[in-house]
């Protein structure tokens, strides 16, 4: 046995090769903005996406191919991504709700959602398409008028694998 081990050591270096195994995973959950939001300005101190205030609520579509593997996480704005200079506090409110479904069981998403801070989470337990409407309202200071100009805020929508 010792002679065999000695012969192997004297035979030369041992060569090794590492061979990778690769793969690509395509998400079975797709997010699409169906309707971009627009702020209405019903009073000088308020911007709102509600139709009664002259706004348009953004609508976000989730196409779910595999049920029970993902959750939708949607955040309403807590600040402007671009705006004129503001010298006072902006108070934000917002909400997310199911706007339309392709399967009646998806209507339960609103009942079972989890909401914290400015975030709403929905377990995507049914395959199909679901549309979420997002409302956003910004109130400026103590009844101060917003400065004239363009205002942009962002709704963040994620499909998180479970």
């Amino acid at each position: 046995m010792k002679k065999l081990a000695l012969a192997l050591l004297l035979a030369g270096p041992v060569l090794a090769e590492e061979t990778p195994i690769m793969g690509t995973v395509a998400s079975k959950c797709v997010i699409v903005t169906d309707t971009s939001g627009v702020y209405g300005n019903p009073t000088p101190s308020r911007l709102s996406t509600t139709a009664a205030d002259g706004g348009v609520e953004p609508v976000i579509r989730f196409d779910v191919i595999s049920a029970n593997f993902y959750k939708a996480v949607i955040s309403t704005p807590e600040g402007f991504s671009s705006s004129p200079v503001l010298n006072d506090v902006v108070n934000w409110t917002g909400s997310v709700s199911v706007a339309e479904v392709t399967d009646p069981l998806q209507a339960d998403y609103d009942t079972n959602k989890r909401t914290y801070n400015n975030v709403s989470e929905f377990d995507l337990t049914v395959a199909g398409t679901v549309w979420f409407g997002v409302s956003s309202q910004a109130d400026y200071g103590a009844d101060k008028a917003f400065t004239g100009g363009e205002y942009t805020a962002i709704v963040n929508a994620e499909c998180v694998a479970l």
Side-chain angles (χ1 to χ4, degrees):
M1 186 69 140
K2 288 183 181 179
K3 289 182 182 180
L4 178 60
L6 183 60
L8 288 174
L9 284 174
L10 296 175
V14 176
L15 298 176
E17 181 67 28
E18 292 181 3
T19 302
I21 299 173
M22 297 171 30
T24 302
V25 175
S27 177
K28 305 297 187 237
C29 180
V30 178
I31 305 169
V32 177
T33 298
D34 267 13
T35 305
S36 293
V38 176
Y39 279 116
N41 188 207
T43 66
S45 63
R46 175 169 290 164
L47 295 174
S48 170
T49 59
T50 61
D53 291 338
V56 175
E57 290 189 353
V59 177
I60 302 164
R61 185 181 86 217
F62 281 71
D63 297 324
V64 180
I65 298 165
S66 297
N68 291 311
F69 285 95
Y70 300 94
K71 67 179 176 180
V73 180
I74 304 171
S75 303
T76 59
E78 288 188 304
F80 294 112
S81 58
S82 67
S83 70
V85 175
L86 299 173
N87 297 319
D88 205 344
V89 160
V90 177
N91 296 305
W92 292 88
T93 55
S95 64
V96 181
S97 60
V98 173
E100 188 177 344
V101 297
T102 57
D103 186 307
L105 294 175
Q106 293 167 319
D108 290 340
Y109 289 173
D110 265 340
T111 304
N112 299 325
K113 77 178 173 183
R114 294 171 303 284
T115 303
Y116 53 92
N117 301 325
N118 67 317
V119 178
S120 295
E121 292 186 358
F122 304 83
D123 292 328
L124 301 174
T125 57
V126 180
T129 299
V130 59
W131 290 261
F132 294 100
V134 180
S135 69
S136 175
Q137 181 172 305
D139 291 298
Y140 187 47
D143 291 325
K144 289 188 175 180
F146 275 106
T147 303
E150 294 290 320
Y151 289 81
T152 303
I154 304 295
V155 173
N156 185 38
E158 299 175 79
C159 196
V160 178
L162 300 175

